[in-house]
Amino acid sequence: MHHVPQARPVLTVSTLGAPGEPLGTVLGWLAGQGVTGIELRLAAGEVASPAMTRQERTRLRAEADGAGVAITGLASYIRVADTAPDDLVVGALEAALLLAADLGAPAVRVFPGAATEPAEYTQVPLTTAARHDVNALAARRLTAVGRLAAELDVYPVLETHDSHPRGRDIAEILGQVEGRAGAVWDLMHPWRVGESLDETWAVLQPWLDNGLGSVQVKDARLPDSRTPVPIGDGTLPVDGFAQLLKDKGYAGVLCLEWEKAWHPGAARLDAAIESTTAWFGRHWPDHPAVGIAPQPPRPDRPRPTPVVETP
């Protein structure tokens, strides 16, 4: 009998967990834990900045390549449902896609970012404009960059966040997009507003299994504290999350989003990586390494803002 290897996610780490640290330091931490994927936070003053020159882009990519680390995506703060004019939002997204292409990254993370009424952390906020209008606005902007994204082979991916914390909220936007796009499933946000793991997967699966989407793991002691804690030490369903990904055969990017930039008291990123690789190894024990293939597969026909920093 031939053994068929189990599909496994590609473990990567976001530089959100290392504010102010030079890239070489972060790459060293990754090497020490056998992780060979990195997501770069895209913001002024960060390793990846919107204003990078061509020479700086070439140098950054060469440094990551030299360390044997693949840049799995850029984490931008573009809000595709923001009330800002279309040309500003679409222009920012186009610039981020071009930067990602120069760095060899396959995806650019964006937020919904619609204006909302005040809401408890455990509630889905009401948008100040009609939600169907907000969704249409976001979809139109993602569609507007479709041709450029296809030419570059770099695509926008929309995260469960802020005005649209649930998988179903993101699916309502992505279902209207003409062209390719992906989803980012942040474990915390759908769960904190009452959407189950199974529900989130069911609605986002078309945009997670298309070779573009990704998932984020994190842990905290909600509802008392949002400060990151080692994976498995908080109240988020990290083991159920892993089991679901295993059951579904998920083999895309799985990113540690350690939010030290928002919570300075959190442990240093290298300690967070250690807890994450231990958690990963418990659930995918036969994995010889926790690195990344050069690029995830991309099927030909998947199913059909301004930079603002927020935690």
Side-chain angles (χ1 to χ4, degrees):
M1 177 182 293
H2 295 288
H3 173 67
V4 179
Q6 182 188 41
R8 293 177 176 88
V10 173
L11 185 60
T12 187
V13 173
S14 170
T15 57
L16 179 67
E21 296 286 357
L23 179 60
T25 298
V26 178
L27 293 175
W29 290 340
L30 297 180
Q33 295 293 331
V35 178
T36 55
I38 191 169
E39 179 191 73
L40 298 179
R41 182 185 182 206
L42 178 59
E46 293 295 320
V47 170
S49 166
M52 293 179 76
T53 65
R54 182 72 63 180
Q55 185 178 40
E56 289 169 336
R57 298 173 190 212
T58 300
R59 186 162 55 243
L60 192 162
R61 183 170 183 174
E63 185 174 0
D65 287 346
V69 173
I71 300 173
T72 60
L74 297 186
S76 87
Y77 294 88
I78 297 166
R79 298 179 173 190
V80 293
D82 193 272
T83 55
D86 277 359
D87 58 346
L88 292 181
V89 179
V90 173
L93 184 48
E94 289 175 340
L97 291 170
L98 288 164
L99 174 57
D102 287 343
L103 297 179
V108 173
R109 188 276 308 274
V110 298
F111 288 152
T116 61
E117 302 289 351
E120 297 294 329
Y121 191 62
T122 56
Q123 296 177 334
V124 178
L126 294 174
T127 55
T128 56
R131 189 165 283 265
H132 62 84
D133 291 335
V134 167
N135 292 346
L137 173 66
R140 186 179 76 236
R141 289 165 168 175
L142 292 171
T143 297
V145 300
R147 180 174 297 180
L148 176 63
E151 290 175 357
L152 298 174
D153 201 24
V154 178
Y155 299 91
V157 289
L158 184 61
E159 182 173 331
T160 54
H161 199 271
D162 51 68
S163 59
H164 291 63
R166 299 172 300 184
R168 73 181 75 173
D169 302 321
I170 296 301
E172 288 173 355
I173 294 174
L174 293 178
Q176 300 179 53
V177 175
E178 298 177 16
R180 297 189 70 192
V184 179
W185 175 8
D186 180 323
L187 170 62
M188 178 180 286
H189 294 301
W191 180 78
R192 69 175 170 82
V193 296
E195 187 175 69
S196 72
L197 299 178
D198 287 335
E199 288 171 330
T200 305
W201 173 267
V203 293
L204 289 185
Q205 181 272 332
W207 298 281
L208 293 173
D209 270 359
N210 66 357
L212 299 177
S214 63
V215 299
Q216 295 177 348
V217 67
K218 60 183 65 172
D219 211 349
R221 297 189 178 100
L222 296 182
D224 297 330
S225 172
R226 303 180 201 176
T227 300
V229 298
I231 303 301
D233 285 0
T235 57
L236 272 67
V238 293
D239 291 326
F241 184 54
Q243 188 61 53
L244 181 145
L245 297 178
K246 288 175 64 176
D247 291 345
K248 302 300 182 181
Y250 177 74
V253 170
L254 192 167
C255 182
L256 168 65
E257 191 179 56
W258 187 253
E259 296 179 328
K260 188 171 177 63
W262 315 128
H263 302 278
R268 208 170 66 173
L269 180 61
D270 54 338
I273 296 171
E274 184 175 359
S275 79
T276 306
T277 55
W279 166 82
F280 189 92
R282 288 195 301 273
H283 292 283
W284 291 275
D286 297 328
H287 199 18
V290 290
I292 182 169
Q295 285 207 3
R298 293 180 171 182
D300 291 334
R301 302 184 67 84
R303 286 180 57 184
T305 343
V307 176
V308 180
E309 298 188 26
T310 60

